[in-house]
Amino acid sequence: MNRTLLYIIPTFAVLLFAACASDNHSHDEKKEKEEKHEAKDEHADHAGEIIMTKHQIEEAHIHASVVQPSDFVDVIKVGGQIVSSQNDEHTVVATSDGIVHFSNLKLTEGASIVRGQKIATLSSSNLKDGDPVAKAKSAFLAAQSQLQRAKELVADKIISQKAYEQAKLEYDQALAAYRGLEATASTGGIVIASPRAGYVKNILVRQGDYVTVGTPILTITSNRRLQLRAEVPQQYLRYLPSVSGANFRIPGDDTLYRLSAMNGRVESYARSLQDNSAFAPVTLSMDNVGNLLPGSYAEVYLLMQSGKPCLSLPLGAITEEQGVHFVYVAEPDEPGVFKKREVTIGRENGESVEILSGIKAGETVVTQGAMQVRLASMSGSVPEGHSHSH
């Protein structure tokens, strides 16, 4: 065989092998690119989906409900304040003139107090008018003597029956005054005691103050029955006759208080604006079922008597991003798959909110745990085992 041919054949074989290898490598690269392209197209088909496993859903307590039209009660959202009920407070007043000496110098507003508890003593020592108990006793004894004398004189017809009746009246008044003071008298003066159990709302005098009969000393509240005073702007005055109840929140407290669950009722509403004011008060009363404090301000949702059918969702179903509101719609045929949907909201009653657009009746929406779904969407992780094949 020709020596030249012997060199050509091996060289051709090497080149042929290299060409085949290059062709196979190009085929593999093409296949890989096609697979990546298909995966990219598939991912694009499912853009915007949030995927969660059954375990994640249960752990986050996520619940979804089918949305259907229902009556949504019209509301007026206003500001208000909690105040004590008139029948729930009692003002303790001085029953005699004297200097105030509190029995407990540590008595403060908010302190609990029991019925009959000694609050203060009104001392009359060193006062120019003297001891009121002694004065009342002297007046009683004098009236008693005058009445006895009048009985004898009227029997002898020396004085008229009218004069006798006057002496009897003066005696009865002196006796009542003396007994009233004697019942509360002590060696230190007249004792002022609490007429009821409750809490000290405010203390109106200071240690050592001089008071006269009828001067308020402190106010006691039992804090069992409260009033909610809502201030309604004038443009809503025509709706006040339709107010049937209220929901409210206290700043710093996430609890939604429902008047219907607190033995509440509408007490009254203004028929006109207050002097120099653009607001009219609506007064509602309720039991203090929690730790509500008189004087607290409230965000009030006044509820109307009639409602209109519409789509609504619990407030917890709504998330907000830069002023735009969203809900998470559950895919009906794919458990654990949710889609973020922008919605337009309307009226709010403190518990639920009206949905004007963005969802339709019959769709399933996350009503509890929407924030957890949002966090899952931000993580960008897809649980293993999820398939997009349809």
Side-chain angles (χ1 to χ4, degrees):
M1 181 180 292
N2 190 319
R3 183 181 295 270
T4 302
L5 185 61
L6 291 175
Y7 284 105
I8 293 175
I9 292 174
T11 302
F12 177 77
V14 170
L15 293 174
L16 181 63
F17 176 78
C20 290
S22 176
D23 183 63
N24 289 336
H25 181 70
S26 298
H27 178 74
D28 291 341
E29 285 185 345
K30 182 179 179 182
K31 185 178 181 181
E32 183 178 353
K33 288 181 180 179
E34 289 176 352
E35 289 176 350
K36 287 183 178 180
H37 184 70
E38 289 175 359
K40 184 176 181 181
D41 290 342
E42 184 180 4
H43 179 72
D45 291 339
H46 297 275
E49 288 186 350
I50 302 102
I51 306 161
M52 302 181 71
T53 65
K54 182 179 179 181
H55 174 71
Q56 289 175 323
I57 293 173
E58 292 176 351
E59 191 176 51
H61 303 289
I62 295 170
H63 297 283
S65 303
V66 177
V67 181
Q68 295 293 352
S70 61
D71 288 344
F72 187 91
V73 178
D74 286 334
V75 299
I76 303 175
K77 186 177 178 180
V78 297
Q81 187 176 22
I82 295 174
V83 297
S84 296
S85 174
Q86 290 288 343
N87 298 327
D88 208 43
E89 290 187 358
H90 187 95
T91 302
V92 179
V93 301
T95 56
S96 173
D97 298 349
I99 306 295
V100 177
H101 294 282
F102 284 106
S103 302
N104 181 4
L105 296 180
K106 295 182 180 180
L107 186 68
T108 58
E109 295 178 357
S112 61
I113 200 166
V114 298
R115 180 183 176 89
Q117 179 177 332
K118 184 178 178 180
I119 296 173
T121 301
L122 302 179
S123 173
S124 58
S125 60
N126 302 322
L127 294 181
K128 66 177 183 178
D129 292 333
D131 185 357
V133 179
K135 290 172 61 177
K137 184 177 182 180
S138 298
F140 162 67
L141 293 175
Q144 187 180 48
S145 177
Q146 289 293 332
L147 178 61
Q148 185 62 36
R149 178 64 177 162
K151 284 181 180 180
E152 296 172 357
L153 295 177
V154 76
D156 295 337
K157 297 184 179 180
I158 297 176
I159 63 173
S160 66
Q161 184 66 28
K162 183 178 180 180
Y164 170 76
E165 294 295 338
Q166 181 63 34
K168 179 70 167 59
L169 176 62
E170 291 175 356
Y171 168 79
D172 289 340
Q173 290 176 339
L175 176 62
Y178 174 57
R179 284 181 174 176
L181 289 174
E182 185 185 37
T184 58
S186 69
T187 55
I190 301 300
V191 175
I192 304 299
S194 174
R196 66 192 299 179
Y199 301 90
V200 177
K201 180 181 179 181
N202 45 37
I203 300 175
L204 306 172
V205 296
R206 295 174 296 181
Q207 177 81 353
D209 281 353
Y210 173 76
V211 296
T212 57
V213 176
T215 301
I217 295 177
L218 56 76
T219 305
I220 298 172
T221 178
S222 62
N223 219 22
R224 287 193 294 265
R225 191 75 179 168
L226 299 173
Q227 288 185 342
L228 177 61
R229 182 184 174 93
E231 301 292 341
V232 181
Q234 66 180 50
Q235 63 264 34
Y236 297 116
L237 287 182
R238 66 183 183 275
Y239 299 115
L240 296 189
S242 300
V243 174
S244 61
N247 298 332
F248 65 95
R249 280 193 173 90
I250 304 299
D253 184 355
D254 293 333
T255 304
L256 177 69
Y257 295 93
R258 300 174 180 84
L259 215 68
S260 59
M262 304 170 69
N263 191 26
R265 61 177 178 267
V266 179
E267 294 289 352
S268 63
Y269 61 89
R271 268 68 175 181
S272 61
L273 296 175
Q274 296 177 321
D275 294 339
N276 302 319
S277 174
F279 296 88
V282 174
T283 303
L284 310 103
S285 64
M286 69 257 179
D287 291 339
N288 189 358
V289 297
N291 295 315
L292 298 175
L293 297 176
S296 301
Y297 289 94
E299 186 179 62
V300 185
Y301 303 87
L302 295 175
L303 308 178
M304 302 295 105
Q305 291 176 347
S306 59
K308 299 177 182 178
C310 68
L311 296 181
S312 64
L313 288 171
L315 288 176
I318 310 296
T319 61
E320 182 181 352
E321 299 176 26
Q322 298 180 346
V324 181
H325 299 92
F326 297 93
V327 298
Y328 295 93
V329 180
E331 289 292 313
D333 300 326
E334 291 189 276
V337 180
F338 306 95
K339 281 193 174 182
K340 183 179 179 181
R341 185 88 59 81
E342 181 181 343
V343 294
T344 305
I345 64 173
R347 299 164 296 169
E348 177 190 339
N349 61 16
E351 185 174 17
S352 55
V353 61
E354 179 185 22
I355 305 299
L356 301 177
S357 65
I359 58 173
K360 298 180 293 184
E363 290 190 293
T364 303
V365 177
V366 174
T367 54
Q368 179 180 327
M371 186 55 66
Q372 281 70 27
V373 179
R374 179 185 175 185
L375 293 175
S377 69
M378 295 170 64
S379 69
S381 60
V382 179
E384 292 183 7
H386 182 81
S387 172
H388 283 298
S389 59
H390 300 283

